[in-house]
Amino acid sequence: MSKRVTARINLAALVNNCQQIQTIAPHSNILAMVKADAYGHGESEVANVLEPYVAGFGVATLEEAEALRDAGINSSIVLLEGFNFPHELAIADELRLDLVIHHRDQLELLLSSSFNAVPKVWLKLDSGMHRLGFSMESWPAALERLRETRFSASAICMSHLACADEPDHALNEQQVSAFQSVVEGLPNAKSIANSAAILSRPDLHFQWIRPGIMLYGVSPFGVQRVLSDYEPVMTLLASVIAIRKVEVGDAIGYGASYVCSQAKRIATVSIGYGDGYPRAAVSGTPCFINGQRCEIVGRVSMDMITVDVSEVADVQLGDQVELWGENIRVEEVAEFCGTIAYELLTGLTGRVNYQYLRPPQ
Ligand SMILES: *Cc1c(COP(=O)(O)O)cnc(C)c1O
């Protein structure tokens, strides 16, 4: 059966990207972010390939952690948003998870529990993003509280930057100095850097870095600064299912929103918002057919898009179309959709077929 839509995942590129990260942060442990199905790349495949190269994995939910254990992952797994109820803590214990603790109730719940697999605790400071974390005032007391317990040995001081993708933003310095003022002099390991900070702030690598998007070869800074040292891991492919000629004045697609100002050849391609290709993609969004860049014309449908192939030689039914990946950066497509690459990658639906290219053994 021919596949309508395929996400081809280049696992060798993933490994190369990971090694490149270790090269630029040689003294840091890598906590590989594999939340949201490894940014849409397939959590268990990604984690299995990365496991020899990283110190642990970061996930958002218990289900994601469980899937990693089921896939045979034995490394440390950090539950980034922690837990809120005793039964969740019991599952975390069973799964041997390390825990981000970001508010007082979590801390008390953990300390009153009979947790068997003594986890590493990542004690999170709200240094100015105001989303998760203990306040500047309460963080030291939380660490103090941990110190009296069996969870103390390995507590990691953690915070997260709101504007790391804008290196000149004033909030970065404010957050960094807030973090420094609280962790100053502590013997504990520290961690603050996501991909953007790993790239732009080597002074913030500390003992643990937390790369997400860059592992997948995609820039946290968007199309203005793509990463030439990193290879896109995902290439999203569909195929040509119809070809027609249209004349001046003909409209294409729903709403007749696109009207041809000249005669064109149009290819209809087997992907739409039902697959996770965003409906927000405007006319002019690039794709790649037979070695050439082309542009989408007209609205994205649920199962199809229409592409101007007037300039592409010899387009045939069944030809492969790249929506993003090796030739068209997902950062660029995101720009045309008014969003970020993160959202496109994590937005693919269950209709997409995954094909894994294994690294040479
Ligand atoms: C997702 C996440 C990251 C990774 O962010 P990228 O921008 O994808 O590198 C790092 N730290 C935390 C706490 C996260 O939730």
Side-chain angles (χ1 to χ4, degrees), residues 218 222-224 226 284-287 293 323-324 327-339 341 344:
V218 175
V223 69
Q224 284 73 25
V226 299
T285 304
C287 62
R293 276 175 75 101
L323 288 314
W324 62 65
N327 298 288
I328 304 286
R329 290 274 178 171
V330 66
E331 298 92 320
E332 185 181 5
V333 177
E335 181 95 351
F336 275 91
C337 300
T339 185
L344 299 192

Coordinates of all heavy atoms in Angstrom, one line a residue, residues 218 222-224 226 284-287 293 323-324 327-339 341 344:
V218 N 16.7 21.5 14.3 CA 15.9 22.7 14.0 C 16.3 23.8 15.0 O 16.6 23.6 16.1 CB 14.4 22.3 14.2 CG1 13.5 23.5 14.1 CG2 14.0 21.2 13.2
G222 N 14.5 30.2 14.8 CA 13.6 30.4 13.6 C 14.5 30.5 12.3 O 15.7 30.3 12.3
V223 N 13.8 30.9 11.3 CA 14.4 30.9 10.0 C 15.5 31.9 9.8 O 16.4 31.8 9.0 CB 13.3 31.1 8.9 CG1 12.8 32.5 8.9 CG2 13.9 30.7 7.5
Q224 N 15.5 33.0 10.7 CA 16.6 34.0 10.6 C 18.0 33.4 11.0 O 19.0 34.0 10.7 CB 16.3 35.2 11.5 CG 15.2 36.1 11.0 CD 13.8 35.5 11.1 OE1 13.6 34.6 11.9 NE2 12.9 36.0 10.2
V226 N 19.1 29.6 10.9 CA 19.1 28.1 10.9 C 20.5 27.6 11.3 O 21.5 28.3 11.2 CB 18.7 27.6 9.5 CG1 17.3 28.1 9.1 CG2 19.7 27.9 8.5
G284 N 2.0 30.6 -1.3 CA 3.4 31.1 -1.3 C 4.3 30.2 -0.3 O 5.5 30.3 -0.4
T285 N 3.7 29.4 0.6 CA 4.5 28.6 1.4 C 5.2 27.6 0.6 O 4.6 26.9 -0.3 CB 3.5 27.8 2.4 OG1 2.8 28.8 3.1 CG2 4.3 26.9 3.4
P286 N 6.5 27.4 0.8 CA 7.3 26.5 -0.1 C 7.1 25.0 0.2 O 6.9 24.6 1.3 CB 8.7 26.9 0.2 CG 8.7 27.4 1.6 CD 7.4 28.0 1.8
C287 N 7.3 24.2 -0.9 CA 7.5 22.8 -0.7 C 8.5 22.4 -1.8 O 9.0 23.3 -2.5 CB 6.2 22.0 -0.8 SG 5.3 22.2 -2.4
R293 N 12.1 24.0 -5.7 CA 11.1 24.7 -4.8 C 9.9 25.0 -5.5 O 10.0 25.6 -6.7 CB 11.8 25.9 -4.2 CG 12.7 25.8 -3.1 CD 13.3 27.1 -2.7 NE 12.4 28.0 -2.1 CZ 12.4 28.2 -0.7 NH1 13.2 27.5 0.0 NH2 11.5 29.0 -0.2
L323 N 7.4 18.4 2.2 CA 6.8 19.6 2.8 C 7.7 20.3 3.7 O 7.7 21.6 3.8 CB 5.6 19.2 3.7 CG 4.3 18.7 2.9 CD1 4.0 19.6 1.7 CD2 4.5 17.3 2.3
W324 N 8.6 19.6 4.4 CA 9.7 20.2 5.1 C 10.7 19.1 5.4 O 10.4 17.9 5.3 CB 9.3 20.9 6.4 CG 8.6 20.1 7.5 CD1 9.2 19.1 8.2 CD2 7.3 20.2 8.0 NE1 8.3 18.6 9.1 CE2 7.1 19.2 9.0 CE3 6.2 21.0 7.7 CZ2 6.0 19.1 9.7 CZ3 5.0 20.9 8.4 CH2 4.9 19.9 9.4
N327 N 15.4 19.8 2.4 CA 15.5 20.8 1.4 C 14.7 22.1 1.7 O 15.1 23.2 1.3 CB 15.0 20.3 0.0 CG 15.8 19.1 -0.5 OD1 17.0 19.4 -0.9 ND2 15.3 17.9 -0.4
I328 N 13.6 21.9 2.4 CA 12.8 23.1 2.9 C 12.8 23.0 4.4 O 12.3 22.1 5.0 CB 11.3 22.9 2.4 CG1 11.3 22.8 0.9 CG2 10.5 24.1 2.9 CD1 11.5 24.0 0.1
R329 N 13.4 24.0 5.0 CA 13.5 24.1 6.5 C 12.1 24.3 7.1 O 11.4 25.1 6.7 CB 14.4 25.3 6.9 CG 15.9 25.0 6.6 CD 16.5 24.3 7.7 NE 17.9 24.0 7.4 CZ 18.8 23.5 8.3 NH1 18.3 23.3 9.5 NH2 20.0 23.3 8.0
V330 N 11.9 23.5 8.1 CA 10.6 23.6 8.8 C 10.5 25.0 9.5 O 9.4 25.5 9.6 CB 10.4 22.4 9.8 CG1 11.4 22.5 11.0 CG2 9.0 22.4 10.4
E331 N 11.6 25.6 9.8 CA 11.6 26.9 10.3 C 11.0 27.9 9.3 O 10.3 28.8 9.7 CB 13.0 27.4 10.7 CG 13.8 26.6 11.7 CD 14.6 25.5 11.1 OE1 14.2 24.9 10.2 OE2 15.8 25.4 11.6
E332 N 11.3 27.7 8.0 CA 10.7 28.6 7.0 C 9.2 28.4 6.8 O 8.4 29.3 6.7 CB 11.5 28.3 5.7 CG 11.0 29.3 4.6 CD 11.7 29.1 3.3 OE1 12.5 28.2 3.1 OE2 11.4 29.9 2.4
V333 N 8.8 27.1 6.8 CA 7.4 26.8 6.7 C 6.6 27.4 7.9 O 5.6 28.0 7.7 CB 7.2 25.3 6.6 CG1 5.7 24.9 6.6 CG2 7.9 24.7 5.4
A334 N 7.2 27.3 9.0 CA 6.6 27.8 10.2 C 6.4 29.3 10.1 O 5.3 29.9 10.5 CB 7.4 27.5 11.5
E335 N 7.4 30.0 9.5 CA 7.3 31.5 9.3 C 6.1 31.8 8.4 O 5.3 32.7 8.7 CB 8.6 31.9 8.7 CG 8.6 33.4 8.4 CD 9.3 34.2 9.5 OE1 9.6 33.6 10.6 OE2 9.6 35.4 9.3
F336 N 5.9 31.0 7.4 CA 4.7 31.2 6.5 C 3.4 30.9 7.2 O 2.4 31.3 6.7 CB 4.9 30.3 5.2 CG 5.7 31.0 4.1 CD1 7.1 30.7 4.1 CD2 5.1 31.8 3.2 CE1 7.9 31.3 3.1 CE2 5.9 32.4 2.2 CZ 7.3 32.1 2.1
C337 N 3.4 30.1 8.2 CA 2.2 29.8 8.9 C 2.0 30.6 10.1 O 1.0 30.4 10.9 CB 2.3 28.3 9.4 SG 2.5 27.1 8.0
G338 N 2.9 31.6 10.4 CA 2.7 32.5 11.5 C 2.9 31.7 12.9 O 2.3 32.1 13.9
T339 N 3.8 30.7 12.8 CA 4.0 29.9 14.1 C 5.5 29.6 14.2 O 6.3 30.1 13.5 CB 3.0 28.7 14.2 OG1 3.2 28.1 15.5 CG2 3.3 27.7 13.1
A341 N 8.5 26.3 14.5 CA 8.7 24.9 14.1 C 8.2 23.9 15.1 O 7.7 22.8 14.8 CB 10.2 24.7 13.8
L344 N 4.7 22.9 14.5 CA 4.5 22.0 13.3 C 5.0 20.6 13.6 O 4.3 19.6 13.2 CB 5.3 22.6 12.1 CG 4.9 24.0 11.6 CD1 5.5 24.3 10.3 CD2 3.4 24.2 11.5

